[in-house]
Amino acid sequence: MRIKNIFTYRIILLLLAIGVVLSCKPKTERIEVDSLQEFAKYISQDEVVVTLKPGVYVLNDTTLSKRILLKKYKDGKPSIDYPISSLLHFSGNGSRYILNDVVINIDTHLHQAFGQDHIFEIFVSGNHNVIEGLEVRDLGEEIPLRGAIMMHVMGDGNTISNVQLHIKGSYPYGYGHLLGKGANPIVKPQKHSSLLVSGKDTKLLGCKVITRGFGHGIVMQGAYNTYIKDCYVEGEMRTTNAMLSETSGPAFDSEFKSDYPPGKIMPNEIKSLSEDGVRSYPYGYLVGRKTEHITVINTTVKNMRSGFDLSAHIGETFIEGCTAIGNQEKGYSVSKNAVIQDSKGDAMYGPLLSFHGNTTENCEVELQLMHPVGEYPVQRLAELNGTGHKITLSNFEGKSRATLAPIVFGESFWSDVHRYRYPDKDAKAFSGAYNITLINKTGMPIVFEKLSQHNAVISNGEMLKDLGVDNTFKHSVDHE
């Protein structure tokens, strides 16, 4: 149709503009509520925007809880029943929940209100939701009968923003991993983890985890393309002397045995009472897929067993602007082809960097060593294994560490553990450092162990070449 005059043309443009405005009109009505009971009515609905009035709310009964029968995958098939109970279940899609200055206190008596069900205190199974500003606290010390997770994000495309989680209630608490976990522990744990991601395209933005439970901080199982930014995870430490002074309790009843070498709790050490700060697992047994692609930006982990243990998943690993402080086992550990840049950490209680085994390849690492030194000396500043890595270690703010600790090629804490547990296996199954290039600007000494070969280190202006024969190395001056 031909437009005959400018007036008709303007009318058509006006109608088109009105159509665009109408099409952009929000589909959702903003809803404001002032009680958890009212709020819970909307967490199963699609495309709603709900604001809960700021204040402190208490969850101390099961009136809002849901019981769900999930399936646990085995051999790639959903074959085993996995009953869970949730206190708040976000099952809607495309919704936004505005919870600024909202605190939900959970009475930990509820940890024992669901029999042998696994407990997800906050369960997000819906897709493409935004949950922002919520603070959740466990009040009490009651332990879950089976196991608990404060928040599980299982749906896809969810954004969790400025959420704070404060975790309590687990068993045994006060010994870290010393009494065992997994198969055949000395004392069977009833864990309480903090924030589990098993969905696709999850964003964790500005979240804070303060855990006083035995379990992980932020953990990925079957998650795909997880993005973590501006988050903070914190646990607490305890000395083994305090453990050994007990006259009752699970460690005392077990004669202070340990699942870790040398088989008993040793004096004059310090342990984190929780597990890893940011951790990946290879597989998600509730979603039936491998864990892939993790990005962590500007995130801090303090006083956890490990800071960033991202060594078990596949695909990309990108860490930038992160900080590991006072973690027991190591600050950073990553899988093959990982990139760590513009990040830092100390070696207060464990190595700044640790490659668990000899299968990790081609990582690019830039880490700054923070100078604080604790009263519990570390055996190794860094533990380098695998092949093809390019690593630069320098001093944060130009300040040198006061106490020397070696950067070791071809050994690790985990190889020590494996040799203890499997003494008949060849050490080559656990350790080995080959063709690694290290630029060492820390002033810390270098040690090439037996299972290292063809590594090159530029240390304090001198080139050290690892010959891999009887722990010897060749010195040559670096003229570059």
Side-chain angles (χ1 to χ4, degrees):
M1 182 183 70
R2 187 176 181 181
I3 301 174
K4 295 183 177 180
N5 57 58
I6 191 66
F7 178 77
T8 305
Y9 179 71
R10 287 177 177 175
I11 291 293
I12 292 173
L13 287 180
L14 179 61
L15 292 173
L16 288 172
I18 293 172
V20 169
V21 171
L22 290 174
S23 67
C24 294
K25 184 179 180 181
K27 297 179 182 179
T28 56
E29 178 184 356
R30 289 182 175 268
I31 302 163
E32 296 185 2
V33 295
D34 60 5
S35 71
L36 278 183
Q37 288 71 24
E38 284 295 313
F39 179 73
K41 294 178 182 178
Y42 297 98
I43 60 178
S44 60
Q45 295 187 21
D46 297 342
E47 298 185 346
V48 294
V49 177
V50 185
T51 300
L52 179 58
K53 181 180 178 181
V56 178
Y57 300 84
V58 178
L59 262 178
N60 56 12
D61 60 42
T62 61
T63 55
L64 303 180
S65 64
K66 303 286 186 182
R67 189 174 194 269
I68 305 156
L69 190 63
L70 300 177
K71 287 289 187 179
K72 186 174 181 179
Y73 281 70
K74 184 177 180 180
D75 299 327
K77 298 179 181 179
S79 56
I80 303 171
D81 288 343
Y82 192 90
I84 70 104
S85 287
S86 64
L87 303 182
L88 289 174
H89 183 194
F90 291 79
S91 58
N93 303 294
S95 294
R96 181 182 176 195
Y97 301 97
I98 303 170
L99 303 166
N100 297 316
D101 299 315
V102 168
V103 179
I104 298 178
N105 289 330
I106 296 176
D107 188 335
T108 57
H109 284 96
L110 294 178
H111 288 166
Q112 301 187 4
F114 304 101
Q116 292 299 309
D117 285 5
H118 299 265
I119 299 172
F120 301 161
E121 290 171 302
I122 310 295
F123 184 31
V124 185
S125 67
N127 305 313
H128 305 292
N129 299 297
V130 176
I131 300 174
E132 58 184 87
L134 174 64
E135 180 175 344
V136 184
R137 291 178 173 268
D138 284 325
L139 294 188
E141 301 287 347
E142 282 77 11
I143 62 176
L145 297 179
R146 187 72 177 271
I149 298 168
M150 179 165 274
M151 176 175 278
H152 182 180
V153 184
M154 189 175 178
D156 298 338
N158 291 295
T159 298
I160 311 300
S161 175
N162 296 314
V163 167
Q164 296 187 39
L165 306 178
H166 298 258
I167 290 85
K168 285 188 176 182
S170 65
Y171 180 85
Y173 185 70
Y175 314 96
H177 60 210
L178 290 175
L179 300 183
K181 55 189 179 62
N184 304 314
I186 295 170
V187 176
K188 184 178 180 180
Q190 291 154 277
K191 291 187 180 183
H192 191 346
S193 290
S194 305
L195 205 172
L196 168 62
V197 178
S198 61
K200 298 179 181 179
D201 300 316
T202 302
K203 292 182 175 65
L204 305 179
L205 307 177
C207 294
K208 184 176 183 179
V209 171
I210 305 295
T211 177
R212 298 298 182 261
F214 184 55
H216 294 296
I218 298 172
V219 55
M220 280 70 69
Q221 295 182 351
Y224 181 89
N225 197 32
T226 305
Y227 183 82
I228 301 167
K229 184 179 180 183
D230 299 331
C231 292
Y232 179 84
V233 180
E234 180 187 299
E236 65 175 337
M237 311 295 286
R238 188 185 186 208
T239 66
T240 54
N241 289 344
M243 301 175 197
L244 292 168
S245 69
E246 293 180 347
T247 57
S248 63
F252 177 85
D253 295 340
S254 303
E255 299 179 334
F256 299 105
K257 294 178 182 177
S258 172
D259 194 38
Y260 291 80
K264 60 182 179 180
I265 299 176
M266 300 298 292
N268 304 318
E269 296 180 354
I270 193 166
K271 302 294 180 183
S272 172
L273 302 187
S274 298
E275 294 191 282
D276 303 316
V278 180
R279 168 70 186 272
S280 65
Y281 277 81
Y283 187 77
Y285 54 82
L286 293 182
V287 291
R289 61 174 172 257
K290 293 180 179 180
T291 309
E292 298 187 51
H293 307 315
I294 296 172
T295 299
V296 188
I297 308 293
N298 194 33
T299 289
T300 297
V301 178
K302 180 179 180 179
N303 291 351
M304 299 292 283
R305 184 177 68 198
S306 300
F308 302 86
D309 189 347
L310 298 177
S311 58
H313 62 285
I314 61 174
E316 298 173 356
T317 306
F318 183 76
I319 298 173
E320 181 180 55
C322 290
T323 305
I325 303 172
N327 298 294
Q328 170 213 317
E329 200 171 279
K330 69 264 183 185
Y332 297 84
S333 184
V334 289
S335 57
K336 67 180 182 179
N337 300 315
V339 175
I340 303 176
Q341 64 185 34
D342 192 27
S343 295
K344 60 185 180 293
D346 61 30
M348 286 273 288
Y349 308 125
L352 169 64
L353 174 66
S354 178
F355 291 94
H356 290 177
N358 54 20
T359 59
T360 307
E361 304 172 350
N362 303 324
C363 295
E364 297 185 11
V365 176
E366 297 177 1
L367 281 173
Q368 297 181 64
L369 172 64
M370 301 171 74
H371 66 276
V373 176
E375 58 182 303
Y376 301 92
V378 295
Q379 293 183 349
R380 306 175 184 120
L381 182 82
E383 302 172 334
L384 306 185
N385 292 278
T387 182
H389 309 313
K390 296 179 180 179
I391 301 168
T392 300
L393 301 179
S394 58
N395 289 321
F396 178 62
E397 296 180 337
K399 297 179 180 178
S400 299
R401 195 175 193 270
T403 303
L404 296 180
I407 299 169
V408 180
F409 287 73
E411 284 292 351
S412 74
F413 165 76
W414 271 108
S415 66
D416 298 339
V417 172
H418 286 307
R419 278 196 299 269
Y420 165 73
R421 293 178 178 171
Y422 312 105
D424 296 332
K425 285 192 176 182
D426 190 334
K428 292 181 181 179
F430 314 122
S431 301
Y434 311 99
N435 300 304
I436 296 172
T437 300
L438 168 66
I439 300 175
N440 174 29
K441 300 179 181 180
T442 66
M444 296 295 109
I446 303 296
V447 174
F448 296 114
E449 289 288 359
K450 292 181 179 180
L451 296 176
S452 66
Q453 192 171 11
H454 302 308
N455 302 295
V457 179
I458 301 173
S459 187
N460 302 322
E462 185 178 20
M463 175 70 80
L464 310 179
K465 291 185 177 179
D466 174 18
L467 301 179
V469 181
D470 296 329
N471 304 334
T472 61
F473 53 84
K474 178 181 178 181
H475 294 260
S476 64
V477 178
D478 172 38
H479 296 289
E480 295 183 3

